[in-house]
Amino acid sequence: VGLSGGSYAIRVRNISGTCTVSNPNEVLVDPIAPILGTVTATAPTDCNTNNGSIIINATGASVEYSIDGGFNWQTSGTFTGLASGIYNVAIRNVGGTCMVMDVVNNPYTLTAPSAPAITSVLGTDPTDCGVNDGIITISATGANLEYSIDGGTVWQATGTFTGLAGGTYTPIVRFDNGTCDVTGQAIVLEDKVAPIIVNVASTDPSDCGLTDGTIMINASSPNGNSLQFSIDGGANWQPDGVFVNLTGGIYQISVRNANGTCVINGTNEILEDKVPPVIGSVVPTNPADCNTNSGSITVTATGAGTIEFSIDGGFNWQPTGNFTG
């Protein structure tokens, strides 16, 4: 009939009311509800990490615990490995009696940190060969952030990285407490590529006073860049390696990319002007008699190399300056 806990005096008699028989009293005991104590809820410490917890303290003879409003139960009040979400705390006696909800604080909300977001990654290549002045700038949303471009080995408080060589860099952003790493797309900075001087050929001026010397510079670019050429140490440049109408002298060979980067200096090229001989003396001797071919002309001269002589205006030449007969 739905009795509550208490002491019951047992009696039985005939329906006519006679012959009452007594039995010892029967005692029904109401279950005792457990008492909910403190509840400590700890949110996940990192983005996308299920390490939140709820710890329930309760008193009672034998208690079991739930954080989903009573759908699932366990005999320990410690719940770990929790994700962000909403939780409803309840306790009851083992066996299912006397469920007590935390009507004061339910629901408990565990909230993990919201990860920062990388909005852009911009790169500037090094400006010249052998120069580490590349730049990467990371922009991200979120407060109290730190930044890395080497996969998380080194971190800094700003998103601008300077003094960079060419290479592949992996941008990462996280909170400055070390949580919520977010990796962006890798960015490549390209070093400038220097040209290669293959060879230099030259021809000296062909005669004294002529400016018809030539220098031909043969160079290549490993990545197909257009090149510029100079024979005066970089004071003047032209788009091809052929230089004509040159006098004798020392020429400083240089090649660079057409955008002005990566100047490569070659070995100086020397063109030699022809050196005119110097006439020292001309001694004539007249013929000794009429109709006698006994006259002579003796020409002395010095020169840088072997010289030859002529007394008919250059039609005929001989290796000595002695003309007789």
Side-chain angles (χ1 to χ4, degrees):
V1 291
L3 303 178
S4 64
S7 180
Y8 294 88
I10 307 302
R11 302 289 186 271
V12 178
R13 70 179 181 181
N14 294 323
I15 197 169
S16 63
T18 61
C19 302
T20 298
V21 178
S22 298
N23 203 63
N25 289 355
E26 193 69 29
V27 178
L28 299 184
V29 179
D30 281 325
I32 298 174
I35 298 173
L36 181 64
T38 60
V39 178
T40 302
T42 302
T45 59
D46 204 347
C47 302
N48 304 315
T49 301
N50 297 341
N51 66 347
S53 65
I54 293 176
I55 300 174
I56 307 168
N57 292 303
T59 57
S62 183
V63 183
E64 58 185 6
Y65 306 82
S66 173
I67 57 172
D68 60 5
F71 288 100
N72 296 283
W73 297 89
Q74 67 180 40
T75 57
S76 168
T78 299
F79 296 82
T80 59
L82 302 181
S84 297
I86 296 173
Y87 298 88
N88 288 283
V89 170
I91 60 173
R92 71 180 182 184
N93 294 319
V94 173
T97 62
C98 302
M99 184 172 77
V100 177
M101 296 289 293
D102 187 351
V103 295
V104 175
N105 297 305
N106 277 339
Y108 290 84
T109 301
L110 302 187
T111 304
S114 296
I118 296 175
T119 56
S120 69
V121 180
L122 302 177
T124 301
D125 296 330
T127 58
D128 208 342
C129 291
V131 176
N132 296 341
D133 62 352
I135 301 171
I136 291 176
T137 301
I138 306 171
S139 297
T141 58
N144 303 317
L145 303 179
E146 57 184 8
Y147 305 80
S148 173
I149 56 171
D150 60 3
T153 301
V154 177
W155 296 88
Q156 67 179 42
T158 69
T160 299
F161 297 81
T162 59
L164 302 178
T168 300
Y169 297 87
T170 301
I172 303 178
V173 177
R174 71 181 182 185
F175 294 119
D176 60 9
N177 62 3
T179 63
C180 298
D181 289 20
V182 177
T183 301
Q185 185 174 359
I187 184 170
V188 178
L189 301 188
E190 292 186 356
D191 279 321
K192 298 295 185 291
V193 179
I196 299 170
I197 297 176
V198 179
N199 60 60
V200 179
S202 64
T203 58
D204 297 326
S206 61
D207 206 344
C208 296
L210 295 183
T211 56
D212 61 352
T214 64
I215 292 177
M216 291 162 286
I217 306 170
N218 181 16
S220 64
S221 172
N223 59 353
N225 287 335
S226 297
L227 302 179
Q228 293 179 331
F229 303 81
S230 173
I231 56 172
D232 57 8
N236 296 281
W237 297 89
Q238 68 180 41
D240 66 79
V242 178
F243 296 82
V244 296
N245 301 323
L246 303 179
T247 63
I250 298 173
Y251 294 88
Q252 300 175 43
I253 306 301
S254 301
V255 180
R256 70 180 184 184
N257 294 321
N259 61 8
T261 63
C262 303
V263 176
I264 299 299
N265 295 315
T267 303
N268 289 349
E269 194 73 12
I270 300 175
L271 300 190
E272 294 186 356
D273 280 321
K274 298 294 186 291
V275 179
V278 177
I279 296 175
S281 65
V282 178
V283 178
T285 301
N286 295 320
D289 201 352
C290 298
N291 302 316
T292 301
N293 297 336
S294 61
S296 67
I297 295 176
T298 302
V299 183
T300 61
T302 58
T306 301
I307 58 176
E308 56 185 3
F309 304 80
S310 172
I311 57 171
D312 59 3
F315 288 99
N316 296 281
W317 296 87
Q318 68 179 39
T320 68
N322 297 318
F323 296 87
T324 60

